[in-house]
Amino acid sequence: MIAPFDVVKITLQLQTQQRSYAFLRPTNDGMLACATRILRKEGVRGLFKGNLSAEYLYLTYGAAQFLVFDTIESALRKTSLPKRARSFIGGALAGAIATSATYPFDLLRTRFIAQETGNKVHKSILGAIKQIHAEEGVRGFYRGLWPACLQIMPYMGIVFTSYDVLASSYSWIRRSMFVGNSPVLRGLDAVQDAIIGGSAAVIGKTCVYPLDLVRKRLQVQGPQLTNFAYGAVPKYSGMANALSFIVRNEGFLALFRGLTPALIKAAPASAAVFYIYGYTRDFVLTVRPE
């Protein structure tokens, strides 16, 4: 269900022309206009490009992320660090390790989305793996990993810390004598993890979004660069060069291209992950023998 938002977001991130910015009114280069162009040129299937590699990414990344986070957070409990510091460190390290382990799937997703319908560079995941390895070597699967880690470490740290702060605030409100018995809050208890998780994702995604855009631009670099995104993406020598080039030639706000679909996608996805995580955690705690 969230795949079309991913396709629109990455398509917008790879656009390089000067764009207009309008508040609460449609533009010719915004999310809706981009989705309309994809539908017109490629049909409904165009909104699901790269979905298979994205599914592999989500499954492996989610499992690795929470496994590493729980392991690190448990180890940090033996230290004198405060809970929020443990959440930030655990989230940052979990994000970096999970990102590094699953990064080739992320790169494959971007390249499948960026390729033109009538001039496909890769026709299948296996074919893409063979071609990238032959033309670019193992390093080709990790183009853009550095900004990805720089992005995901503070992102996951911010998400888990924001989750902890919001959860503590919610608990304080629930204990308040003024609104503690509110039927609205009682109704929210069942989906508390989902609401707080979605809110934490919005905060984290906005803070680190420029690095996400740079990562996508770097992922299509290589010998096939001109065959991706209609040849619009320039050649960059690295992360710093990409950042300075984008700000200098496209403007500072260009670093936030595609933020709207990114937030629309991130909030429900994170809400679902935290809801399942919270439900599983509560279930395990109830059946664990004393």
Side-chain angles (χ1 to χ4, degrees), residues 205-258:
K205 178 66 73 174
T206 304
C207 290
V208 302
Y209 191 77
L211 288 173
D212 183 66
L213 182 138
V214 170
R215 170 177 56 136
K216 296 303 177 188
R217 298 275 183 103
L218 291 177
Q219 284 179 334
V220 296
Q221 301 289 307
Q224 300 289 342
L225 174 62
T226 56
N227 293 321
F228 291 118
Y230 300 95
V233 180
K235 184 177 181 179
Y236 305 122
S237 60
M239 180 183 68
N241 175 250
L243 279 169
S244 62
F245 186 94
I246 293 168
V247 173
R248 186 171 61 252
N249 293 277
E250 303 172 42
F252 176 76
L253 290 179
L255 293 172
F256 293 89
R257 292 179 190 268

Side-chain angles (χ1 to χ4, degrees), residues 103-232:
Y103 194 78
F105 289 128
D106 186 39
L107 182 136
L108 288 172
R109 173 185 59 174
T110 299
R111 294 199 175 189
F112 277 115
I113 291 174
Q115 64 185 4
E116 305 169 30
T117 304
N119 184 29
K120 289 187 175 181
V121 179
H122 308 304
K123 294 181 173 59
S124 67
I125 290 180
L126 185 59
I129 293 172
K130 290 180 179 179
Q131 184 176 355
I132 293 171
H133 185 268
E135 294 180 350
E136 307 171 52
V138 176
R139 292 182 62 184
F141 293 102
Y142 293 91
R143 291 185 183 274
L145 179 60
W146 181 234
C149 287
L150 287 180
Q151 169 211 348
I152 204 66
M153 289 182 70
Y155 171 66
M156 292 312 304
I158 292 169
V159 167
F160 279 103
T161 303
S162 299
Y163 178 88
D164 184 55
V165 172
L166 293 173
S168 298
S169 300
Y170 180 82
S171 298
W172 180 83
I173 292 173
R174 287 293 283 119
R175 293 194 301 269
S176 170
M177 61 179 296
F178 298 106
V179 296
N181 293 321
S182 167
V184 175
L185 290 180
R186 286 200 300 270
L188 291 177
D189 283 347
V191 291
Q192 169 191 343
D193 286 312
I195 295 173
I196 295 175
S199 302
V202 168
I203 296 171
K205 178 66 73 174
T206 304
C207 290
V208 302
Y209 191 77
L211 288 173
D212 183 66
L213 182 138
V214 170
R215 170 177 56 136
K216 296 303 177 188
R217 298 275 183 103
L218 291 177
Q219 284 179 334
V220 296
Q221 301 289 307
Q224 300 289 342
L225 174 62
T226 56
N227 293 321
F228 291 118
Y230 300 95

Side-chain angles (χ1 to χ4, degrees), residues 8-28:
V8 171
K9 183 203 79 165
I10 294 175
T11 302
L12 289 172
Q13 287 178 319
L14 297 178
Q15 291 180 357
T16 58
Q17 75 276 13
Q18 290 282 348
R19 61 162 299 177
S20 59
Y21 295 93
F23 182 66
L24 294 181
R25 63 184 176 87
T27 65
N28 292 327

Side-chain angles (χ1 to χ4, degrees), residues 27-67:
T27 65
N28 292 327
D29 45 16
M31 180 180 72
L32 294 178
C34 180
T36 302
R37 284 195 299 271
I38 293 172
L39 283 171
R40 188 170 59 247
K41 291 181 179 180
E42 307 176 49
V44 176
R45 291 183 63 182
L47 293 174
F48 292 88
K49 292 187 296 184
N51 191 47
L52 186 58
S53 51
E55 292 301 323
Y56 291 149
L57 170 65
Y58 296 143
L59 289 173
T60 54
Y61 180 85
Q65 172 191 347
F66 280 103
L67 175 63

